[in-house]
Amino acid sequence: QVQVVQSGAEVKTPGASVKVSCKASGYTFTRHYVHWVRQAPGQGLEWMGMINPSDGYRVYAQKFQGRVTMTWDTSASTVYLELSRLRYDDSAVFFCAREGIHDSDDAFDIWGQGTMVTVSS
Amino acid sequence: DIQMTQSPSTLSASVGDRVTITCRASQSINIWLAWYQQKPGKAPKLLIYRASALQSGVPSRFSGSGSGTEFTLTISSLQPDDFATYYCQQYKSSRTFGQGTKVEIK
C-alpha cells in the first residue's frame, strides 16, 4: 500500500545535528513532492519546507533557513531532513508528508508516523 | 507570509451535534485550503482539499466550504471517533497551518 515510513526516535545534545529519513513505497517516488512538518509538544503544526524528489528543487521556510537541509536518494525512494545547531526548543515530532497531485500545488495526502527528536544535555 | 486563524480554539460538543469550525486567511487564497484531523500521538489525516473536495475514504458527514479568506469545516453529526484536533492549511503560497481547534466531549 501507499505509505511513507520514518526513522526512529533520536536524542541529541544542544548544538548537534539530527538526520531523519522518510522512505516511500507503493507509489512512484519521483511524482510527488515531500514536505516536512514540525510539531512541538502540545503545540500545532509548523511547515519546514519541501523537496521535489524528481529534480531536487527545494523550498525552505524562512524560519529554518541556514539550519535545515533536505536531500533525497532516488535509488532508495527516501528523502532526508537534517536540522543542525539543535536547541532545546527544537524538541518535537517531525513528520514527512507526501503532496498530492490533484492540482499543481496540493494538500498532504499521505503522512509518515512521525519521528520524535529530543534535545537534551 | 499568509497567516491562518482558526476559531474557536476549543469546542465542546456532544455526539450527534452539528459542529462548525472557521478558518480565516490574512489574504485571499482562492480555494487552496485543506483540513486535517489529528488524534493524540498520531499523524494528521487529510479530510478536505481544495476547500470543499472530500478526500477518498473520508465519511460524508465532513464537509468544507468557502473561498477567498473565509472557510468552514462542518461535521453534520458528530461521532465518537471525531473527537480530535482539526487544522486548516493554506497552499496558495508556501504552506501555513492554522493553530488548531480541539473538539472535546461536552
Side-chain angles (χ1 to χ4, degrees), chain A residues 33 35 37 39 43-47 50 59 62 95 99 102-103 105-109 111-114, chain B residues 1 32 34 36 38 41-46 48-50 55 87 89 91-92 94-99:
Chain A
Y33 290 16
H35 296 251
V37 174
Q39 187 170 39
Q43 302 301 307
L45 304 170
E46 181 175 34
W47 181 75
M50 55 138 283
V59 178
Q62 189 170 12
F95 294 100
E99 180 178 327
H102 296 105
D103 302 288
D105 292 291
D106 207 344
F108 304 164
D109 62 353
W111 291 68
Q113 80 277 20
Chain B
D1 288 5
W32 308 120
Y36 300 88
Q38 187 181 32
K42 300 295 186 181
K45 172 187 174 183
L46 178 64
I48 302 285
Y49 63 96
R50 210 188 285 149
Q55 175 69 355
Y87 294 93
Q89 178 208 38
Y91 51 99
K92 169 74 164 52
S94 185
R95 302 288 190 276
T96 318
F97 291 93
Q99 80 277 19

Side-chain angles (χ1 to χ4, degrees), chain B residues 33-87:
Chain B
L33 184 103
W35 290 97
Y36 300 88
Q37 176 194 67
Q38 187 181 32
K39 296 180 179 179
K42 300 295 186 181
K45 172 187 174 183
L46 178 64
L47 302 174
I48 302 285
Y49 63 96
R50 210 188 285 149
S52 61
L54 193 67
Q55 175 69 355
S56 175
V58 174
S60 59
R61 63 181 179 272
F62 291 93
S63 64
S65 65
S67 66
T69 62
E70 188 148 340
F71 302 86
T72 58
L73 172 71
T74 300
I75 309 172
S76 60
S77 177
L78 198 65
Q79 298 302 299
D81 191 48
D82 301 338
F83 292 97
T85 300
Y86 294 84
Y87 294 93

Side-chain angles (χ1 to χ4, degrees), chain B residues 18-31:
Chain B
R18 181 180 181 87
V19 166
T20 299
I21 299 168
T22 298
C23 180
R24 288 187 174 87
S26 60
Q27 62 190 77
S28 176
I29 57 170
N30 299 315
I31 58 168

Side-chain angles (χ1 to χ4, degrees), chain A residues 4-121:
Chain A
V4 290
V5 178
Q6 300 181 223
S7 50
E10 302 264 10
V11 179
K12 297 291 182 181
T13 54
S17 297
V18 68
K19 192 170 186 177
V20 179
S21 68
C22 173
K23 182 174 176 60
S25 61
Y27 71 93
T28 303
F29 176 65
T30 53
R31 286 196 70 196
H32 294 259
Y33 290 16
V34 175
H35 296 251
W36 289 92
V37 174
R38 183 172 82 168
Q39 187 170 39
Q43 302 301 307
L45 304 170
E46 181 175 34
W47 181 75
M48 299 181 71
M50 55 138 283
I51 184 167
N52 180 355
S54 177
D55 60 10
Y57 173 72
R58 281 154 276 202
V59 178
Y60 299 147
Q62 189 170 12
K63 177 176 181 176
F64 299 99
Q65 292 269 6
R67 287 209 300 143
V68 69
T69 305
M70 297 178 190
T71 55
W72 81 110
D73 180 345
T74 303
S75 66
S77 297
T78 300
V79 299
Y80 302 91
L81 168 75
E82 185 168 16
L83 189 63
S84 63
R85 303 193 302 277
L86 289 169
R87 307 185 293 251
Y88 291 112
D89 63 0
D90 286 319
S91 294
V93 176
F94 292 80
F95 294 100
C96 64
R98 185 187 86 162
E99 180 178 327
I101 51 173
H102 296 105
D103 302 288
S104 57
D105 292 291
D106 207 344
F108 304 164
D109 62 353
I110 302 293
W111 291 68
Q113 80 277 20
T115 298
M116 179 73 214
V117 174
T118 302
V119 183
S120 173
S121 55

